[in-house]
Amino acid sequence: MEEPRKRARPGRSPAPAGRTARPRQAEVARLAGVSQATVSLVLADKRQGPAISEETRHKVLEAARSLGYVPDPAARRLAAARNNLLGVFSFTATFPTDVQHSYYPFLVGVEREAAERGYDLVLFTGSSTGGAGAAGPDALSRVRLADGCLFLGRHAPVEELGRLVADGFPVVHLGRRDEPAGLHWVGADYVSAAREVVGHLAGLGHRRMVLIREDDEAPASTDRERGFAEGLEAVGDGSVFRSADPERDLTPERLRSWLADGVTAFVAEETDTGAAWRALRRAAADAGIECPRDASLALLGSPPADLADGPEPTGFDIPRTRLGAAAVRMLAALVAGEEATEPLVACTFRPGATSGPPPATEDH
């Protein structure tokens, strides 16, 4: 006897053959070519907030039907139970609380904007034991106790962040990140800022420069390098020195060799460690290079606290407090299920005292 066929529920397409996991909003967003916040608004049929065209609504609903998406009732209940808490998680080994730490101004901006919007902050302490990786593969799961979470740090676990994003949990990274896909972030315009510093050096007469940076693919580093290269395109020639340990590899002999080859300016990136600038300062001192008489130095960022008592370096200042506030604004929008965009924040050029015209060369 033939078994009766099961009737499909109206308004819902059957799940794709062979699929066992529940489709997520992130998949609907990718298929429809829109943001996850847009998917959330369309599927919740929210008409307030940003205007969404009928064409976009149709694309989202078609993508949801083709994937067999249905809302997770548990997730809906959780989303409704807001407690006005925003999480903060740093991937540095010790969470920064010292006023001289480079992250401190970020936190000032975060606190001020959160208070203005009626949110309390909760600090997740996995970062105080060596970062998320040291606390095990599920270290980030605790952040779900808050309505959403801000993350700080150059090196973050992509897979764990990706799970939060795919689940629709509101996440914002403070600083540009290309992975995981769909992650919201706020950042400074390091490309334009680095280009301006190189333009300043070129205006002083420098034509050959070297960029000293750490050996990784952190977006902040690649943005600075891009700005360095763009600044030199029309005026001179530059090279990039990358090292996993600049304080070991950037020797006085290497600096003297560059000077002998016609390099007149050295540019270092700022990182959490401050290693590139510290290495450049030490190597220049050990080589007997007087700055800016013998060579000009520039820093793409602010100097580490332990070197703040020296000459103010030519470079730019990062608007950390403004970035912290922008991150909270974006996170609050995501928590509310709204579209979230923040423009890149401009850095402020710093003339400093470490740059001047290149040394005069004798004609032979």
Side-chain angles (χ1 to χ4, degrees):
M1 181 176 178
E2 185 179 353
E3 293 186 2
R5 294 181 181 177
K6 293 183 179 179
R7 298 174 63 184
R9 295 180 183 176
R12 178 191 173 192
S13 300
R19 182 172 187 125
T20 58
R22 177 193 297 271
R24 293 172 170 171
Q25 282 191 10
E27 297 173 76
V28 177
R30 283 194 293 271
L31 183 58
V34 299
S35 71
Q36 192 167 324
T38 297
V39 171
S40 177
L41 289 170
V42 171
L43 296 181
D45 198 26
K46 290 184 178 180
R47 300 285 171 168
Q48 71 274 24
I52 298 175
S53 69
E54 288 305 315
E55 180 184 0
T56 298
R57 289 182 183 277
H58 179 73
K59 288 196 314 186
V60 170
L61 294 174
E62 282 298 310
R65 276 193 286 269
S66 68
L67 291 172
Y69 173 86
V70 289
D72 182 347
R76 276 191 163 180
R77 288 194 298 272
L78 183 62
R82 301 300 180 199
N83 53 20
N84 285 345
L85 286 179
L86 299 182
V88 180
F89 195 111
S90 168
F91 295 108
T92 53
T94 302
F95 196 84
T97 55
D98 190 299
V99 295
Q100 292 187 329
H101 194 288
S102 62
Y103 278 10
Y104 184 81
F106 288 129
L107 300 177
V108 171
V110 167
E111 181 183 24
R112 288 175 181 171
E113 189 69 21
E116 181 72 20
R117 294 176 175 272
Y119 284 98
D120 289 315
L121 298 174
V122 56
L123 165 63
F124 291 98
T125 56
S127 51
S128 67
T129 56
D138 297 320
L140 301 191
S141 62
R142 300 192 305 280
V143 304
R144 296 175 188 267
L145 296 171
D147 298 336
C149 192
L150 299 177
F151 292 95
L152 301 87
R154 284 166 64 88
H155 304 293
V158 173
E159 185 176 345
E160 289 187 62
L161 279 178
R163 283 199 293 269
L164 292 174
V165 171
D167 288 343
F169 182 77
V171 171
V172 172
H173 189 270
L174 219 164
R176 182 170 78 84
R177 287 199 64 84
D178 298 327
E179 293 183 334
L183 175 68
H184 287 80
W185 54 268
V186 298
D189 188 357
Y190 293 134
V191 175
S192 297
R195 188 169 58 234
E196 184 176 9
V197 171
V198 172
H200 173 76
L201 294 171
L204 292 172
H206 296 277
R207 295 295 179 266
R208 294 201 62 192
M209 309 178 200
V210 172
L211 171 66
I212 294 125
R213 56 165 291 189
E214 294 187 28
D215 189 20
D216 62 33
E217 298 302 329
S221 294
T222 58
D223 282 352
R224 286 175 168 93
E225 182 174 334
R226 177 183 159 195
F228 174 81
E230 290 181 1
L232 277 170
E233 280 179 357
V235 297
D237 174 45
S239 59
V240 179
F241 176 74
R242 294 178 59 148
S243 170
D245 188 354
E247 295 185 77
R248 177 196 65 198
D249 298 332
L250 188 61
T251 62
E253 292 75 22
R254 190 181 295 274
L255 283 190
R256 294 193 194 101
S257 174
W258 280 327
L259 290 175
D261 287 340
V263 173
T264 59
F266 300 96
V267 181
E269 68 165 347
E270 178 197 354
T271 65
D272 298 347
T273 66
W277 179 245
R278 188 175 288 105
L280 178 58
R281 282 277 306 270
R282 177 195 50 74
D286 291 348
I289 298 171
E290 186 175 327
C291 167
R293 186 196 68 185
D294 303 322
S296 288
L297 309 183
L299 173 62
L300 304 182
S302 304
D306 61 318
L307 295 180
D309 57 346
E312 182 180 52
T314 297
F316 60 77
D317 292 314
I318 301 169
R320 289 181 166 87
T321 301
R322 290 165 55 201
L323 283 167
V328 171
R329 286 195 299 270
M330 178 176 282
L331 185 59
L334 292 175
V335 168
E338 301 171 356
E339 290 282 4
T341 57
E342 285 284 340
L344 289 174
V345 181
C347 299
T348 304
F349 176 73
R350 183 182 60 243
T354 59
S355 63
T361 56
E362 296 181 2
D363 294 327
H364 295 284

